[in-house]
Amino acid sequence: QNPSHFPQSDVVVLERGEGTRVVVHLHGATVISWTCSGEEQLFLSSTSVFDNKKAIRGGIPVVFPNFGPWSLGPQHGFARIKRWTVAIPPMKDKNGDVIAAFSLEDDEETRGMWNFKFKLVYTLQLSEKSLVSSFVVHNTDKTDFEFTCLLHTYFRVPDIANTSVQGLKGLTYIDKVNDGKEFREEREVVTLTENYDRVYKDAPKTVVIQTAPTRRLQLSTCNLPDIVVWNPWEDKAKKMADFDDDGWRHMLCVEAGKVVSPVVLKAGDKFDSSQTFTLL
Ligand code: TA6
């Protein structure tokens, strides 16, 4: 995902050097690329639309204030399809890590759907082998509000057949492919051989994603207790114009969120959450 493919006004690049870089598209503050020593870690559909209207198909879409279908507005809320502001331009800290922050505040359009005042602050910290995404929701209104939120990460995998997630054993999951029925995960190593759309409840703070035979990523979370595992598989991917036909073989969504029950945020309070990817 070469940043030069995009209008410079639309993307912000966190350049750490030696092939370690993050590219953020201001549409939804969507991380569209995270390369570690030259190797791309995220999936971005080759038919993703970049019209600053539709959600980007891939990278890390930010889901707020609602995960899933929403009676008040678009599926997965409006955060991923709004233009965010650069709150802190990329800067290097003393360790050579690169930090940048993005913000989104309520406006007439968001209040027309969801009539609350809020401010989101999304901070990225890129180290040699890890990427920390911190997601903070400020209730700047005079009344409490509730929301669900999630970081909808599309990991890039050479082959979904050689991909797995470890650390989910014993968890209850909501199976959205099976009428939302709940089941218990019995496997230590979760592999996929068909369309998965599962919400694992109260997951451990750390899970390991084997994205390739020689590449393992650790996902650690704070205040994001639910983990969604999604791959549309062949038939569903074919029905999505912005999902290239073969793309489903090369991606796995492992998404940290607070989605099973909403966050209730009091007027003036803030909700802190984060996810950390570490290459093992
Ligand atoms: O995170 C899984 C999911 O909720 C699936 O149900 C599927 O809808 C996916 O999100 C993508 O949603 P989108 O609106 O981006 O097509």
Side-chain angles (χ1 to χ4, degrees):
Q1 283 83 281
N2 190 323
S4 59
H5 291 171
F6 302 93
Q8 290 314 298
S9 56
D10 283 351
V11 293
V12 172
V13 182
L14 287 74
E15 185 63 68
R16 193 177 192 281
E18 281 128 51
T20 296
R21 173 177 79 188
V22 159
V23 181
V24 181
H25 200 292
L26 291 176
H27 182 60
T30 309
V31 173
I32 55 173
S33 173
W34 167 37
T35 52
C36 239
S37 308
E39 195 180 31
E40 179 61 63
Q41 305 299 321
L42 300 179
F43 168 83
L44 188 66
S45 168
S46 58
T47 55
S48 178
V49 173
F50 289 94
D51 60 3
N52 285 314
K53 292 192 189 77
K54 195 171 163 31
I56 292 168
R57 179 66 64 192
I60 311 176
V62 176
V63 173
F64 175 90
N66 188 83
F67 172 74
W70 191 30
S71 60
L72 301 178
Q75 165 151 292
H76 291 329
F78 45 62
R80 66 174 182 165
I81 53 174
K82 289 291 287 181
R83 181 87 176 183
W84 288 55
T85 306
V86 180
I88 302 174
M91 55 188 290
K92 277 206 176 182
D93 67 16
K94 59 187 183 318
N95 310 320
D97 294 349
V98 187
I99 295 172
F102 305 87
S103 62
L104 179 72
E105 296 193 54
D106 61 282
D107 62 15
E108 201 177 328
E109 186 186 32
T110 65
R111 288 192 296 272
M113 291 182 249
W114 190 67
N115 193 15
F116 297 106
K117 296 180 71 53
F118 67 87
K119 178 173 185 179
L120 308 181
V121 180
Y122 185 46
T123 307
L124 300 171
Q125 177 168 351
L126 176 65
S127 308
E128 189 188 351
K129 295 282 183 203
S130 69
L131 173 62
V132 183
S133 313
S134 113
F135 179 69
V136 179
V137 181
H138 295 266
N139 180 337
T140 53
D141 210 314
K142 294 190 174 15
T143 172
D144 305 354
F145 60 58
E146 59 180 63
F147 62 89
T148 51
C149 61
L150 169 133
L151 296 172
H152 200 293
T153 308
Y154 289 72
F155 289 100
R156 182 176 168 278
V157 302
D159 185 345
I160 186 65
N162 300 327
T163 304
S164 64
V165 184
Q166 290 149 41
L168 301 174
K169 182 173 181 168
L171 296 183
T172 298
Y173 63 90
I174 300 164
D175 188 349
K176 289 164 64 178
V177 171
N178 206 325
D179 301 327
K181 289 194 194 86
E182 297 200 3
F183 301 89
R184 187 182 148 84
E185 183 55 70
E186 302 298 349
R187 295 171 294 172
E188 182 49 49
V189 181
V190 174
T191 52
L192 288 80
T193 54
E194 59 189 343
N195 171 208
Y196 267 30
D197 193 352
R198 303 180 170 190
V199 181
Y200 285 88
K201 299 163 55 169
D202 289 329
K205 290 199 182 323
T206 300
V207 296
V208 173
I209 308 156
Q210 183 97 32
T211 54
T214 59
R215 190 174 69 201
R216 286 154 48 88
L217 261 159
Q218 177 177 282
L219 163 61
S220 305
T221 62
C222 174
N223 282 340
L224 297 172
D226 306 312
I227 289 188
V228 175
V229 176
W230 177 60
N231 183 305
W233 223 252
E234 184 167 13
D235 296 348
K236 287 203 163 92
K238 277 209 174 88
K239 292 187 187 110
M240 290 185 262
D242 64 350
F243 216 121
D244 57 274
D245 280 359
D246 210 32
W248 62 277
R249 290 180 193 281
H250 306 298
M251 58 71 68
L252 177 64
C253 275
V254 181
E255 314 157 18
K258 177 85 173 75
V259 299
V260 174
S261 62
V263 176
V264 180
L265 195 55
K266 294 207 168 312
D269 272 4
K270 72 180 172 101
F271 167 77
D272 282 294
S273 68
S274 69
Q275 68 174 1
T276 301
F277 303 140
T278 307
L279 269 178
L280 298 178

